[in-house]
Amino acid sequence: MREPEGTTPGQAGDVPQFWSRSVDDAGRTVLTYAVRGGRAGVALGTLGAACLFGGAWGAWWMLAGGDATVAGLVFTIAVPGGLIAFGLHCLDTALWARREYAMNSLGLVARRQSLRGSGTVAEIPRAAVTEVAQRYSPPGPSSPSASPGTWTTFLAWKGKDGRAQELALDGMHSPDEARWLGPLLAKWSGAPLKRSHGAEFEEADPDELPGLDG
């Protein structure tokens, strides 16, 4: 069972862009974040293909003569090689990479799938969760004028050694995403949902936090 993606923001139960919600064979609710389709997905795929092609062509052009110097080889690795790596990263994000958060009454398992490696990121017992924290960072000087800033959602829990730990959930960090994800995790865990400024803005007035409710 899977809920529709990209529905109208603001309605209860809406699933924000690039997220999906399903139930696996074990009966766990699975939240999946994967950049597929849409302007962002198309842009990433196009940019990745362009960088991959450009880097490969640049490396071939530099090495075609067969008499490259040591300095030339270093330059070939640093520039076209870096372009190829960035292109693969973009294509990975647009075509393969995803993050999954599988939840049930016992706990949450965070998994990642990517060309850079796949596996379990964290296993968090539900009873150990202490809070769901959402931290806001206002737009920076280089941000678009219409940028609303970013919201990052964290799941905080107490480890077996008693130490506080946090898991930052991947996503677009948009207001719509925070509005959907925070209450959902708080309801599942039974822990309080707390919203504040990011660590670098701790001195900011809490009253300046933009509203997410409603």
Side-chain angles (χ1 to χ4, degrees):
M1 297 175 62
R2 186 177 292 270
E3 296 184 12
E5 300 182 40
T7 50
T8 305
Q11 297 177 353
D14 287 346
V15 180
Q17 188 179 29
F18 303 133
W19 283 88
S20 63
R21 180 175 175 176
S22 60
V23 178
D24 66 11
D25 293 340
R28 298 178 300 181
T29 296
V30 181
L31 308 180
T32 303
Y33 172 73
V35 179
R36 303 287 186 268
R39 292 182 180 179
V42 172
L44 273 174
T46 302
L47 179 61
C51 289
L52 190 62
F53 175 80
W57 183 87
W60 175 84
W61 182 78
M62 289 180 179
L63 298 175
D67 56 352
T69 63
V70 172
L73 289 174
V74 171
F75 185 79
T76 299
I77 294 173
V79 180
L83 202 60
I84 290 172
F86 180 70
L88 286 173
H89 169 71
C90 291
L91 287 175
D92 182 27
T93 301
L95 300 176
W96 296 288
R98 71 172 182 264
R99 297 292 186 271
E100 294 181 346
Y101 305 95
M103 307 179 297
N104 62 13
S105 60
L106 298 178
L108 178 146
V109 177
R111 298 186 296 255
R112 70 163 178 252
Q113 178 172 306
S114 169
L115 290 177
R116 293 174 294 174
S118 302
T120 299
V121 176
E123 296 186 23
I124 305 171
R126 180 172 174 266
V129 177
T130 55
E131 71 175 28
V132 178
Q134 293 188 311
R135 296 172 192 156
Y136 173 72
S137 297
S142 60
S143 302
S145 58
S147 173
T150 59
W151 286 92
T152 305
T153 300
F154 297 84
L155 196 60
W157 77 99
K158 187 172 293 186
K160 293 181 179 179
D161 57 1
R163 295 182 181 180
Q165 300 186 51
E166 286 187 337
L167 172 70
L169 278 75
D170 289 289
M172 296 294 287
H173 305 308
S174 66
D176 289 338
E177 179 183 270
R179 188 180 296 115
W180 173 75
L181 191 56
L184 189 156
L185 291 173
K187 182 178 180 180
W188 161 76
S189 65
L193 171 61
K194 298 182 180 180
R195 289 171 177 152
S196 62
H197 285 91
E200 65 273 36
F201 303 102
E202 287 181 344
E203 300 302 320
D205 186 348
D207 292 336
E208 294 179 356
L209 279 172
L212 286 180
D213 298 322

